[in-house]
Amino acid sequence: MEEQYKISDPQVLKAVTHPLRARMLGLLRADGPATASELGRKVGESSGSTSYHLRELFKYGFIEEDPEQRDGRERRWRARHRYTSWNSREMSGTAEGREAVKVMRLWQADALGRIVQEFDESAWSAEWVEIAGMSDHITELPPAALAEFMARTEEILRELEARHGGAPDAEQVRIWVGGFPRNRREEP
């Protein structure tokens, strides 16, 4: 699997703004290859619906057929990349690009809200309960410093992944990193 899918075409980003497509792509990245029927059961949709959306994800380069797990009756699909990225400045050049970026950001925030809502402390060890959570910070930084923060966060995450991958107590962990300048007209 490739590391990232760097998108510069608003049409391609728009293809993954559909909530069901984004969710299925996330499942393929997190859980590995699946058929339309398997994904349909996970997301509560018909295999016809998931098949259509899988073909759209394939058309725009997000997924591919899994050659290692052919089953003869039904295609198995896998994600081509670990994550999707785009340059917001490039995308903001058109109304379509701005809208696609906004929809993706809102989808990410909604997904975070669902994960927080679904987190059940009683299902996890004390170590996980103690460390799971979020923090927010308000600080003053220029754009270059925020860019450095984002890049260093990626570096640290990859280093920790390499060092601790395969540890007996390792679990998939969802991590969000974001930074937006504060509209000074907002209430604190």
Side-chain angles (χ1 to χ4, degrees), residues 79-90:
R80 289 187 55 207
H81 318 89
R82 286 174 47 114
Y83 66 94
T84 303
S85 68
W86 58 88
N87 181 308
S88 294
R89 183 177 37 81
E90 288 175 9

Side-chain angles (χ1 to χ4, degrees), residues 12-31:
V12 175
L13 185 59
K14 189 176 177 186
V16 79
T17 61
H18 188 284
L20 182 56
R21 287 182 207 147
R23 190 166 170 212
M24 292 189 322
L25 179 58
L27 287 168
L28 291 172
R29 286 176 174 165
D31 298 341

